[in-house]
Coordinates of all heavy atoms in Angstrom, one line a residue:
A364 N -2.7 1.0 -8.4 CA -4.1 1.3 -8.3 C -4.7 1.6 -9.7 O -5.8 1.0 -10.0 CB -4.3 2.5 -7.4
F365 N -4.0 2.3 -10.5 CA -4.5 2.6 -11.8 C -4.5 1.3 -12.7 O -5.4 1.2 -13.4 CB -3.6 3.7 -12.5 CG -3.9 5.1 -12.0 CD1 -3.1 5.7 -11.0 CD2 -4.9 5.8 -12.6 CE1 -3.4 7.0 -10.6 CE2 -5.2 7.1 -12.2 CZ -4.4 7.7 -11.2
D366 N -3.5 0.5 -12.6 CA -3.4 -0.8 -13.4 C -4.6 -1.6 -12.9 O -5.3 -2.3 -13.8 CB -2.1 -1.5 -13.1 CG -0.9 -0.8 -13.8 OD1 -1.2 0.0 -14.7 OD2 0.2 -1.0 -13.3
W367 N -4.9 -1.7 -11.6 CA -6.0 -2.5 -11.2 C -7.4 -2.1 -11.8 O -8.1 -2.8 -12.3 CB -6.0 -2.5 -9.7 CG -7.0 -3.3 -9.0 CD1 -7.7 -4.5 -9.5 CD2 -7.6 -3.2 -7.7 NE1 -8.6 -5.0 -8.6 CE2 -8.5 -4.2 -7.4 CE3 -7.4 -2.2 -6.6 CZ2 -9.2 -4.3 -6.2 CZ3 -8.1 -2.3 -5.5 CH2 -9.0 -3.3 -5.2
A368 N -7.5 -0.8 -11.7 CA -8.8 -0.1 -12.1 C -8.9 -0.4 -13.7 O -10.0 -0.8 -14.2 CB -8.8 1.3 -11.8
D369 N -7.9 -0.2 -14.4 CA -7.9 -0.4 -15.9 C -8.2 -1.8 -16.2 O -9.0 -2.1 -17.2 CB -6.5 0.0 -16.5 CG -6.3 1.5 -16.4 OD1 -7.3 2.3 -16.2 OD2 -5.2 2.0 -16.6
L370 N -7.6 -2.8 -15.6 CA -7.8 -4.2 -15.9 C -9.2 -4.6 -15.6 O -9.8 -5.2 -16.4 CB -6.8 -5.0 -15.1 CG -5.4 -5.1 -15.4 CD1 -4.5 -5.7 -14.4 CD2 -5.2 -5.7 -16.8
V371 N -9.8 -4.2 -14.5 CA -11.2 -4.6 -14.1 C -12.1 -3.9 -15.1 O -13.0 -4.6 -15.6 CB -11.5 -4.2 -12.7 CG1 -13.0 -4.3 -12.4 CG2 -10.7 -5.0 -11.7
T372 N -11.9 -2.7 -15.4 CA -12.9 -2.0 -16.3 C -12.8 -2.6 -17.7 O -13.9 -2.8 -18.3 CB -12.5 -0.5 -16.4 OG1 -12.6 0.2 -15.1 CG2 -13.4 0.3 -17.3
Q373 N -11.6 -2.9 -18.2 CA -11.5 -3.5 -19.5 C -12.1 -4.9 -19.6 O -12.9 -5.2 -20.5 CB -10.1 -3.5 -19.9 CG -9.4 -2.1 -20.2 CD -8.0 -2.1 -20.3 OE1 -7.3 -3.2 -20.3 NE2 -7.3 -1.0 -20.4
R374 N -11.7 -5.7 -18.6 CA -12.1 -7.1 -18.7 C -13.5 -7.4 -18.3 O -14.1 -8.4 -18.6 CB -11.1 -7.9 -17.8 CG -9.7 -8.0 -18.4 CD -8.8 -8.8 -17.5 NE -7.4 -8.6 -18.1 CZ -6.4 -9.1 -17.5 NH1 -6.4 -9.8 -16.3 NH2 -5.1 -9.0 -18.0
S375 N -14.2 -6.4 -17.6 CA -15.6 -6.5 -17.4 C -16.4 -5.9 -18.5 O -17.7 -5.9 -18.4 CB -16.0 -5.9 -16.0 OG -15.8 -4.4 -16.1
G376 N -15.7 -5.4 -19.5 CA -16.5 -4.8 -20.6 C -17.1 -3.5 -20.2 O -18.1 -3.1 -20.8
G377 N -16.6 -2.9 -19.1 CA -17.1 -1.6 -18.7 C -18.3 -1.8 -17.7 O -18.8 -0.8 -17.2
R378 N -18.6 -3.0 -17.3 CA -19.7 -3.2 -16.4 C -19.3 -2.7 -15.0 O -20.1 -2.3 -14.2 CB -20.1 -4.7 -16.3 CG -20.8 -5.2 -17.5 CD -21.2 -6.6 -17.5 NE -20.1 -7.5 -17.3 CZ -19.7 -8.1 -16.1 NH1 -20.4 -7.8 -15.0 NH2 -18.7 -8.8 -16.0
I379 N -18.0 -2.9 -14.7 CA -17.5 -2.5 -13.4 C -16.5 -1.3 -13.7 O -15.4 -1.6 -14.2 CB -16.8 -3.7 -12.7 CG1 -17.8 -4.8 -12.5 CG2 -16.3 -3.2 -11.3 CD1 -17.1 -6.1 -11.9
N380 N -16.9 -0.2 -13.4 CA -16.1 1.0 -13.7 C -15.3 1.5 -12.4 O -16.0 2.1 -11.5 CB -17.0 2.1 -14.2 CG -16.2 3.4 -14.5 OD1 -15.0 3.3 -14.9 ND2 -16.7 4.5 -14.3
M381 N -14.1 1.2 -12.4 CA -13.3 1.7 -11.2 C -12.5 3.0 -11.5 O -11.9 3.0 -12.6 CB -12.3 0.6 -10.8 CG -12.9 -0.6 -10.2 SD -11.8 -2.0 -10.0 CE -10.5 -1.3 -8.9
K382 N -12.7 4.0 -10.7 CA -12.0 5.2 -11.0 C -11.1 5.6 -9.8 O -11.5 5.5 -8.7 CB -13.0 6.4 -11.1 CG -12.3 7.7 -11.4 CD -13.3 8.9 -11.6 CE -12.6 10.2 -11.9 NZ -13.5 11.3 -12.0
V383 N -9.8 5.8 -10.1 CA -8.8 6.1 -9.1 C -8.8 7.5 -8.7 O -8.8 8.4 -9.5 CB -7.4 5.7 -9.6 CG1 -6.4 6.0 -8.5 CG2 -7.4 4.2 -9.9
Y384 N -8.8 7.8 -7.4 CA -8.6 9.2 -6.8 C -7.3 9.2 -6.1 O -7.2 8.8 -5.0 CB -9.8 9.5 -5.8 CG -11.1 9.7 -6.6 CD1 -11.9 8.5 -6.9 CD2 -11.6 10.9 -6.9 CE1 -13.1 8.7 -7.6 CE2 -12.9 11.1 -7.5 CZ -13.6 10.0 -7.9 OH -14.8 10.1 -8.5
P385 N -6.2 9.7 -6.9 CA -4.9 9.7 -6.3 C -4.7 10.8 -5.3 O -5.6 11.6 -5.1 CB -4.0 9.9 -7.5 CG -4.8 10.7 -8.4 CD -6.3 10.2 -8.2
G386 N -3.6 10.7 -4.6 CA -3.3 11.7 -3.6 C -4.2 11.7 -2.4 O -4.4 12.8 -1.7
S387 N -4.9 10.6 -2.2 CA -5.8 10.4 -1.0 C -6.8 11.6 -1.0 O -7.2 12.1 0.1 CB -5.0 10.4 0.3 OG -4.1 9.3 0.4
Q388 N -7.2 12.1 -2.2 CA -8.1 13.2 -2.3 C -9.5 13.0 -1.7 O -10.1 13.9 -1.3 CB -8.2 13.7 -3.7 CG -8.8 12.7 -4.7 CD -8.7 13.2 -6.1 OE1 -9.6 14.0 -6.5 NE2 -7.7 12.9 -6.9
L389 N -9.9 11.7 -1.6 CA -11.2 11.5 -1.0 C -11.3 11.7 0.5 O -12.3 11.8 1.1 CB -11.6 10.0 -1.3 CG -11.9 9.7 -2.8 CD1 -12.1 8.2 -3.0 CD2 -13.0 10.5 -3.4
V390 N -10.1 11.8 1.0 CA -10.0 12.1 2.5 C -9.2 13.4 2.8 O -8.4 13.5 3.7 CB -9.3 10.9 3.3 CG1 -10.3 9.8 3.4 CG2 -8.1 10.4 2.6
G391 N -9.2 14.3 1.8 CA -8.6 15.6 1.9 C -7.1 15.5 2.0 O -6.4 16.4 2.6
G392 N -6.5 14.5 1.4 CA -5.0 14.3 1.4 C -4.4 13.7 2.6 O -3.2 13.4 2.7
D393 N -5.3 13.4 3.6 CA -4.8 12.7 4.9 C -4.9 11.2 4.6 O -6.0 10.6 4.9 CB -5.7 13.2 6.0 CG -5.2 12.6 7.4 OD1 -4.2 11.8 7.3 OD2 -5.7 12.9 8.4
Q394 N -3.8 10.6 4.2 CA -3.8 9.2 3.9 C -4.1 8.3 5.1 O -4.5 7.1 4.9 CB -2.5 8.7 3.3 CG -1.3 8.9 4.1 CD -0.5 10.2 3.8 OE1 -1.1 11.2 3.5 NE2 0.8 10.1 3.9
T395 N -3.9 8.8 6.3 CA -4.2 7.9 7.5 C -5.7 7.8 7.7 O -6.0 6.9 8.6 CB -3.6 8.6 8.7 OG1 -4.2 9.9 9.0 CG2 -2.1 8.8 8.6
R396 N -6.5 8.5 7.0 CA -8.0 8.3 7.2 C -8.6 7.4 6.2 O -9.9 7.2 6.2 CB -8.7 9.7 7.1 CG -8.3 10.6 8.3 CD -8.9 12.0 8.1 NE -10.3 11.8 7.9 CZ -11.0 12.5 7.0 NH1 -10.4 13.4 6.1 NH2 -12.3 12.3 6.8
E397 N -7.8 6.8 5.3 CA -8.4 6.0 4.2 C -9.2 4.8 4.8 O -10.3 4.5 4.3 CB -7.3 5.5 3.3 CG -6.8 6.6 2.3 CD -5.7 6.1 1.4 OE1 -4.9 5.3 1.8 OE2 -5.8 6.5 0.2
L398 N -8.7 4.1 5.7 CA -9.4 2.9 6.3 C -10.7 3.3 6.9 O -11.7 2.6 6.7 CB -8.5 2.2 7.3 CG -9.1 1.0 8.0 CD1 -9.5 -0.1 7.0 CD2 -8.1 0.4 9.1
V399 N -10.7 4.3 7.7 CA -11.9 4.8 8.3 C -12.9 5.2 7.3 O -14.1 4.9 7.3 CB -11.6 6.0 9.3 CG1 -13.0 6.6 9.8 CG2 -10.7 5.6 10.4
A400 N -12.5 5.9 6.2 CA -13.4 6.4 5.2 C -14.0 5.2 4.4 O -15.1 5.3 3.9 CB -12.6 7.3 4.2
M401 N -13.2 4.2 4.2 CA -13.7 3.0 3.6 C -14.8 2.4 4.4 O -15.9 2.0 3.9 CB -12.6 2.0 3.3 CG -13.1 0.7 2.8 SD -11.8 -0.4 2.1 CE -11.5 0.4 0.5
R402 N -14.7 2.3 5.7 CA -15.7 1.6 6.6 C -16.9 2.5 6.6 O -18.0 2.1 6.9 CB -15.1 1.4 8.0 CG -13.9 0.4 7.9 CD -13.3 0.2 9.3 NE -14.3 -0.5 10.2 CZ -14.1 -0.8 11.5 NH1 -12.9 -0.4 12.0 NH2 -14.9 -1.4 12.2
Q403 N -16.8 3.9 6.3 CA -17.9 4.8 6.3 C -18.6 4.8 5.0 O -19.6 5.5 4.9 CB -17.4 6.2 6.7 CG -17.0 6.3 8.2 CD -16.3 7.6 8.5 OE1 -15.8 8.4 7.6 NE2 -16.3 8.0 9.7
G404 N -18.1 4.1 4.0 CA -18.7 4.1 2.7 C -18.2 5.2 1.7 O -18.8 5.3 0.6
V405 N -17.2 6.0 2.1 CA -16.7 7.1 1.3 C -15.8 6.5 0.2 O -15.8 7.0 -1.0 CB -15.9 8.1 2.1 CG1 -15.3 9.2 1.3 CG2 -16.8 8.7 3.2
I406 N -15.1 5.5 0.5 CA -14.2 4.8 -0.4 C -14.6 3.4 -0.7 O -15.0 2.7 0.3 CB -12.7 4.7 0.1 CG1 -12.2 6.2 0.3 CG2 -11.8 3.9 -0.7 CD1 -10.9 6.3 1.1
D407 N -14.7 2.9 -1.9 CA -15.1 1.6 -2.2 C -14.0 0.6 -2.3 O -14.1 -0.6 -1.8 CB -15.8 1.6 -3.6 CG -17.0 2.5 -3.6 OD1 -17.8 2.4 -2.7 OD2 -17.1 3.3 -4.6
M408 N -12.8 1.0 -2.8 CA -11.7 0.2 -3.0 C -10.4 1.0 -2.7 O -10.5 2.2 -2.7 CB -11.6 -0.4 -4.3 CG -12.9 -1.2 -4.8 SD -12.8 -1.6 -6.6 CE -14.4 -2.4 -6.7
A409 N -9.3 0.3 -2.4 CA -8.1 1.1 -2.1 C -6.9 0.3 -2.3 O -6.9 -1.0 -2.3 CB -8.2 1.7 -0.7
V410 N -5.7 1.0 -2.5 CA -4.4 0.4 -2.4 C -3.8 1.1 -1.2 O -3.3 2.2 -1.3 CB -3.6 0.4 -3.6 CG1 -2.2 -0.2 -3.5 CG2 -4.3 -0.2 -4.8
F411 N -3.8 0.4 0.0 CA -3.3 1.0 1.2 C -1.8 0.8 1.2 O -1.2 -0.1 0.8 CB -3.9 0.2 2.4 CG -5.3 0.5 2.7 CD1 -6.1 -0.5 3.3 CD2 -5.9 1.7 2.5 CE1 -7.4 -0.3 3.6 CE2 -7.2 2.0 2.8 CZ -8.0 0.9 3.4
S412 N -1.2 1.9 1.8 CA 0.2 1.7 2.4 C 0.0 1.1 3.8 O -0.8 1.7 4.5 CB 0.9 3.1 2.4 OG 1.9 3.1 3.4
T413 N 0.7 0.1 4.1 CA 0.5 -0.5 5.5 C 1.0 0.6 6.6 O 0.5 0.5 7.7 CB 1.3 -1.8 5.6 OG1 2.7 -1.6 5.2 CG2 0.7 -2.9 4.8
I414 N 1.9 1.4 6.2 CA 2.3 2.5 7.1 C 1.1 3.3 7.5 O 0.9 3.7 8.7 CB 3.4 3.3 6.6 CG1 4.7 2.5 6.6 CG2 3.6 4.6 7.4 CD1 5.9 3.2 5.9
N415 N 0.3 3.6 6.6 CA -0.8 4.6 6.8 C -2.0 3.9 7.6 O -2.8 4.6 8.2 CB -1.4 5.1 5.5 CG -0.4 6.0 4.8 OD1 0.5 6.6 5.5 ND2 -0.4 6.1 3.5
I416 N -2.1 2.6 7.5 CA -3.2 1.9 8.3 C -2.7 1.3 9.6 O -3.5 0.9 10.4 CB -3.9 0.9 7.4 CG1 -2.9 -0.2 7.0 CG2 -4.6 1.5 6.2 CD1 -3.6 -1.4 6.3
S417 N -1.4 1.4 9.8 CA -0.9 0.8 11.1 C -1.3 1.5 12.3 O -1.5 0.8 13.4 CB 0.7 0.8 11.0 OG 1.2 2.0 10.9
P418 N -1.7 2.8 12.3 CA -2.2 3.4 13.5 C -3.6 2.7 13.9 O -3.9 2.7 15.2 CB -2.4 4.8 13.2 CG -1.4 5.1 12.1 CD -1.4 3.9 11.3
Q419 N -4.3 2.2 13.0 CA -5.6 1.6 13.3 C -5.5 0.1 13.4 O -6.3 -0.6 14.1 CB -6.6 1.9 12.2 CG -7.1 3.4 12.1 CD -6.2 4.2 11.2 OE1 -5.8 3.6 10.1 NE2 -5.9 5.4 11.5
I420 N -4.5 -0.5 12.7 CA -4.4 -2.0 12.8 C -2.9 -2.2 13.4 O -2.0 -2.2 12.6 CB -4.6 -2.6 11.4 CG1 -5.9 -2.2 10.9 CG2 -4.4 -4.1 11.5 CD1 -6.2 -2.8 9.5
R421 N -2.8 -2.6 14.6 CA -1.5 -2.6 15.2 C -0.6 -3.7 14.6 O 0.6 -3.5 14.5 CB -1.7 -3.0 16.7 CG -2.5 -4.3 17.0 CD -2.6 -4.6 18.5 NE -3.2 -5.8 18.7 CZ -2.7 -7.0 18.7 NH1 -1.4 -7.1 18.4 NH2 -3.4 -8.1 18.9
E422 N -1.2 -4.8 14.0 CA -0.4 -5.8 13.4 C 0.4 -5.3 12.3 O 1.5 -5.8 11.9 CB -1.2 -7.0 13.1 CG -1.9 -7.8 14.2 CD -3.2 -7.2 14.5 OE1 -3.6 -6.1 14.2 OE2 -4.0 -8.0 15.3

Side-chain angles (χ1 to χ4, degrees):
F365 282 99
D366 288 338
W367 183 23
D369 289 344
L370 287 169
V371 171
T372 300
Q373 291 167 9
R374 293 179 184 175
S375 69
R378 291 181 300 102
I379 305 172
N380 177 34
M381 292 170 58
K382 182 178 178 181
V383 178
Y384 289 80
S387 302
Q388 60 185 276
L389 295 173
V390 286
D393 183 356
Q394 62 261 36
T395 63
R396 292 178 50 227
E397 285 179 321
L398 176 60
V399 173
M401 175 168 277
R402 298 179 68 181
Q403 292 172 338
V405 176
I406 295 170
D407 301 312
M408 305 169 181
V410 179
F411 288 147
S412 154
T413 51
I414 287 174
N415 294 330
I416 60 174
S417 60
Q419 293 92 38
I420 304 178
R421 61 179 178 82
E422 294 90 343

